């Protein structure tokens, strides 16, 4: 290499390291470019021309880079000033690539405002200003609208989950929709699910969502019910199996709930998965025990009324216990029996309870007898007054029986007047049979017909224990129902789904 080329190489290095040249400017020269420059300067064919105006030629290259960056910096300052003037704090945008002009940024802000977002909303997540309208906002929002999110609600959707503006329709959004459809979520429900839980669009398919579904299926949840569960409570797709879902399932199973029954409960009420195990579920179970509910009855209570696990239970039970003691003189033990038979009592409005009590006491029944009836059949206080009246007046006018029979068998009011009481009583009348309410009502249609054909009236027990939605259990484990060979699990299931 000749001396002229050496001199030019040294001047190039001096220029690149020039103090007035910003430190990062040197990064604009790729290694290959510098090598090529050196080769170019070392070529004898160009050495004479290169050395004529060395100070002009190379600084012109460096100066062009500085000018571009300088212009960018100036525009960035202008954009930040514009945002500040609107009340937007641009601090979080420091490392974000912004548009080249204030005009482009202005279009983005106006677009977001037309969606319904306020300046405060933008300040909650200013990174949305880094999204291109053409490449990000319009394609994403257009796809969401196509998936069922109404146009007027798009602004609310972006407000709740602004990160969606950074996503790719093809790479991120479409696969999630395909996954939901694969779970049998109805197409018309997709928009509802996304609006309810927009964070779904940010989940990885092979991660939490797939694991949650697989675990629920493994404990007995029917795959065809996963779709309705997602529509009802999509949040379980974001729950970790090991730290949230499995511990809750294990705890409920430990209380005596078979997994099969628990699976049926979750199919109907997926929101149970959202109850916090340590802060809500366990304290509520302890609360039930503290109010006298037997440990062996806890599973039945939960199966009948799963929502009881998520209530502010101590306050509700205290209020209802006081009510029953005040109005009917029912002691804590009696109240515990009522809750075991009908845990929904914990949530019923006391004005509703009072209507039934007033109706029964208004028929000449002493409060002591009303209390006995309620303890034996708590469903009385939840029945509509119209039904109570119709059944009572049929009992008095058509059947002509003494009121004390209602005290002995208050379950009479829980049977359908038109489909059971009237038809059966008519048949009894036609055969001239006189029997108790228990005998002709507390049995299946088949058993009733067999009794009508019998030559004698079989002896009666002291009376059944009634559990709404389940079977009538007679003393001596003699169970009467339409399905004579049901398992205990199926009994518990009926109690679950009937309420």
């Amino acid at each position: 290499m000749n001396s002229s080329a050496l001199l030019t190489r040294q001047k190039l290095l001096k220029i690149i390291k020039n103090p007035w040249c910003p430190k990062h400017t040197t990064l604009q020269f790729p290694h290959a470019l510098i090598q090529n420059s050196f080769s170019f300067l070392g070529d004898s064919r160009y050495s004479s021309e290169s050395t004529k105006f060395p100070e002009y030629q190379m600084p012109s290259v460096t100066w062009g880079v500085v000018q571009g960056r300088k212009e960018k910096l100036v525009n960035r300052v202008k954009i930040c000033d514009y945002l500040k003037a609107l009340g937007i704090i641009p601090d979080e945008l420091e490392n974000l690539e912004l548009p080249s002009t204030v005009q482009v940024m202005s279009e983005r802000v106006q677009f977001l405002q037309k969606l319904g977002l306020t300046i405060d909303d933008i300040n909650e997540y200013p990174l949305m200003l880094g999204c291109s309208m053409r490449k990000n906002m319009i394609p994403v929002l257009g796809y969401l609208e196509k998936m069922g999110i109404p146009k007027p609600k798009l602004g609310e959707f972006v407000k709740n989950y602004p990160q969606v503006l950074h996503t790719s329709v093809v790479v991120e959004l479409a696969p999630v929709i395909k996954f939901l459809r694969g779970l049998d979520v109805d197409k018309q429900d997709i928009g509802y699910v996304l609006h309810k839980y927009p964070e779904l669009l940010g989940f990885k398919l092979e991660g939490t969502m797939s694991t949650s579904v697989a675990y629920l299926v493994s404990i007995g949840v029917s795959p065809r019910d996963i779709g309705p569960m997602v529509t009802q409570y999509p949040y379980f797709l974001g729950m970790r199996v090991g730290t949230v879902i499995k511990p809750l399932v294990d705890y409920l199973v430990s209380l005596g709930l078979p997994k099969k029954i628990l699976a049926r409960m979750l199919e109907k009420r997926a929101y149970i998965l959202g109850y916090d195990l340590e802060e809500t579920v366990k304290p509520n179970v302890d609360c039930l025990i503290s109010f006298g509910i037997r440990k062996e009855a806890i599973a039945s209570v939960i199966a009948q009324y799963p929502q009881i696990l998520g209530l502010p239970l101590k306050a509700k039970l205290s209020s209802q216990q006081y009510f029953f003691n005040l109005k009917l003189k029912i002691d804590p033990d009696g109240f515990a029996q009522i809750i075991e038979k009908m845990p929904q009592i914990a949530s019923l409005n006391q004005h509703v309870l009072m209507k039934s009590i007033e109706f029964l006491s208004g028929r000449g029944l002493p409060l002591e007898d009303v209390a006995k009836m309620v303890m034996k059949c708590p469903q009385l206080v939840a029945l509509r007054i119209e039904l109570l009246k119709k059944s009572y007046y049929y009992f008095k006018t058509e059947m002509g029986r003494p009121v004390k029979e209602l005290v002995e068998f208050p379950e009479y009011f829980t049977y359908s007047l038109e489909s059971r009481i009237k038809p059966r009583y008519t048949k009894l009348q036609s055969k001239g049979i006189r029997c108790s309410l228990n005998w002709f009502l507390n049995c299946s249609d088949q058993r009733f017909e067999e009794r009508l054909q019998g030559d004698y009236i079989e002896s009666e027990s002291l009376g059944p224990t009634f559990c709404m939605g389940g079977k009538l259990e007679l003393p001596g484990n003699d169970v009467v129902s339409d399905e004579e060979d049901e398992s205990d699990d199926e009994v518990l299931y009926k109690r679950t789904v009937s309420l």
Side-chain angles (χ1 to χ4, degrees):
M1 186 182 297
N2 58 35
S3 59
S4 176
L6 276 173
L7 178 61
T8 306
R9 184 197 294 242
Q10 291 169 357
K11 288 188 176 183
L12 177 59
L13 289 170
K14 184 177 180 182
I15 290 167
I16 294 174
K17 297 178 181 179
N18 196 321
W20 61 260
C21 182
K23 184 176 181 181
H24 55 266
T25 302
T26 58
L27 299 177
Q28 300 298 322
F29 294 94
H31 180 71
L33 178 60
I34 296 174
Q35 292 293 342
N36 290 337
S37 300
F38 287 159
S39 301
F40 171 81
L41 293 172
D43 192 326
S44 58
R45 291 177 297 168
Y46 302 102
S47 60
S48 59
E49 291 187 23
S50 301
T51 54
K52 285 182 181 179
F53 308 102
E55 296 85 3
Y56 172 77
Q57 288 184 359
M58 289 314 299
S60 68
V61 176
T62 310
W63 178 254
V65 175
V66 173
Q67 274 292 89
R69 186 165 294 277
K70 215 172 187 181
E71 188 178 354
K72 230 175 183 180
L73 290 173
V74 170
N75 284 332
R76 192 178 188 90
V77 170
K78 289 180 179 178
I79 289 172
C80 289
D81 288 343
Y82 163 74
L83 295 176
K84 288 177 182 176
L86 294 176
I88 298 172
I89 303 170
D91 295 354
E92 292 186 36
L93 306 177
E94 184 178 350
N95 299 319
L96 196 68
E97 184 178 349
L98 298 180
S100 56
T101 65
V102 172
Q103 182 182 356
V104 176
M105 178 57 78
S106 174
E107 290 173 354
R108 291 185 187 180
V109 173
Q110 290 175 21
F111 181 82
L112 292 171
Q113 288 179 321
K114 284 181 181 178
L115 281 177
L117 273 70
T118 64
I119 296 299
D120 289 338
D121 295 332
I122 295 175
N123 274 326
E124 286 291 323
Y125 190 78
L127 295 180
M128 69 176 74
L129 295 174
C131 297
S132 165
M133 283 178 56
R134 182 175 62 85
K135 296 179 180 178
N136 300 97
M137 296 184 186
I138 293 175
V140 166
L141 295 176
Y143 183 75
L144 292 176
E145 186 178 359
K146 183 181 176 182
M147 289 300 104
I149 297 178
K151 196 170 186 177
K153 291 186 176 290
L154 286 174
E156 183 184 347
F157 189 92
V158 172
K159 178 181 177 180
N160 293 332
Y161 186 58
Q163 295 90 336
V164 72
L165 295 178
H166 298 288
T167 58
S168 162
V169 170
V170 175
V171 177
E172 294 164 287
L173 302 187
V176 172
I177 303 302
K178 185 178 180 182
F179 177 81
L180 293 176
R181 293 287 290 123
L183 296 178
D184 284 338
V185 177
D186 290 339
K187 189 174 182 180
Q188 63 267 26
D189 292 332
I190 293 290
Y192 172 78
V193 169
L194 294 180
H195 193 269
K196 199 171 183 179
Y197 192 35
E199 288 83 357
L200 278 178
L201 294 171
F203 292 156
K204 293 182 178 180
L205 304 184
E206 67 278 7
T208 306
M209 289 200 291
S210 297
T211 308
S212 300
V213 171
Y215 177 76
L216 290 173
V217 171
S218 75
I219 66 169
V221 172
S222 172
R224 69 173 180 270
D225 286 315
I226 293 291
M229 287 175 66
V230 171
T231 303
Q232 178 196 137
Y233 191 76
Y235 308 101
F236 77 84
L237 292 177
M239 295 177 178
R240 293 186 178 276
V241 170
T243 57
V244 179
I245 300 179
K246 188 176 184 299
L248 177 63
V249 169
D250 290 345
Y251 178 72
L252 294 178
V253 169
S254 73
L255 296 175
L257 272 170
K259 281 189 178 181
K260 178 182 176 182
I261 303 306
L262 181 55
R264 301 291 84 79
M265 284 172 52
L266 295 178
E267 288 171 2
K268 302 295 182 182
R269 299 174 179 84
Y271 54 81
I272 295 170
L273 293 168
Y275 294 158
D276 188 278
L277 177 59
E278 298 298 331
E279 295 185 9
T280 305
V281 176
K282 287 184 177 180
N284 277 359
V285 171
D286 292 340
C287 178
L288 287 170
I289 294 172
S290 71
F291 272 84
I293 284 76
R294 296 166 299 142
K295 289 184 179 180
E296 57 269 27
I298 293 292
S300 174
V301 168
I302 295 172
Q304 292 180 73
Y305 190 45
Q307 297 93 314
I308 203 167
L309 294 174
L311 295 175
L313 195 55
K314 186 175 182 180
K316 285 186 174 293
L317 290 181
S318 296
S319 175
Q320 300 297 62
Q321 186 185 64
Y322 176 78
F323 172 83
F324 281 101
N325 182 260
L326 179 67
K327 300 298 181 181
L328 296 174
K329 307 302 179 186
I330 294 176
D331 61 20
D333 290 339
F335 178 72
Q337 293 176 35
I338 290 174
I339 294 298
E340 286 185 11
K341 292 176 180 178
M342 188 182 174
Q344 292 86 347
I345 289 285
S347 297
L348 286 180
N349 189 296
Q350 291 180 358
H351 292 295
V352 174
L353 302 176
M354 200 62 212
K355 286 181 179 180
S356 299
I357 293 172
E358 288 175 345
F359 173 79
L360 293 172
S361 60
R363 308 284 76 78
L365 287 166
L367 280 180
E368 182 180 340
D369 286 344
V370 175
K372 290 178 182 177
M373 294 171 71
V374 170
M375 288 179 60
K376 195 171 184 182
C377 181
Q379 287 73 22
L380 283 178
V381 294
L383 293 174
R384 288 187 297 158
I385 294 298
E386 293 78 10
L387 296 179
L388 282 174
K389 286 181 179 179
K390 289 179 180 180
S391 296
Y392 177 78
Y393 289 122
Y394 183 82
F395 176 84
K396 288 293 292 180
T397 59
E398 297 297 326
M399 299 173 70
R401 292 172 174 251
V403 177
K404 68 177 184 179
E405 288 195 36
L406 293 177
V407 178
E408 295 171 358
F409 191 73
E411 292 88 346
Y412 164 83
F413 289 103
T414 67
Y415 294 104
S416 170
L417 179 62
E418 299 299 329
S419 65
R420 177 165 290 201
I421 298 176
K422 284 184 178 181
R424 292 192 180 186
Y425 184 71
T426 301
K427 289 182 178 181
L428 289 176
Q429 289 290 88
S430 66
K431 287 186 170 286
I433 297 176
R434 172 99 179 161
C435 62
S436 71
L437 298 175
N438 185 354
W439 188 87
F440 82 90
L441 290 177
N442 182 22
C443 61
S444 66
D445 289 337
Q446 180 180 350
R447 179 69 63 87
F448 177 70
E449 293 297 332
E450 291 173 353
R451 286 179 175 180
L452 288 180
Q453 302 303 321
D455 295 328
Y456 65 94
I457 296 178
E458 57 196 277
S459 61
E460 298 180 21
S461 65
L462 296 177
T465 58
F466 186 83
C467 185
M468 191 171 185
K471 297 179 180 179
L472 299 179
E473 298 182 3
L474 301 176
N477 295 324
D478 189 11
V479 179
V480 177
S481 76
D482 292 333
E483 300 292 338
E484 300 294 339
D485 57 348
E486 288 180 320
S487 67
D488 290 340
D489 285 359
E490 289 168 330
V491 176
L492 205 53
Y493 169 61
K494 276 193 171 183
R495 294 179 183 179
T496 302
V497 299
S498 64
L499 299 171

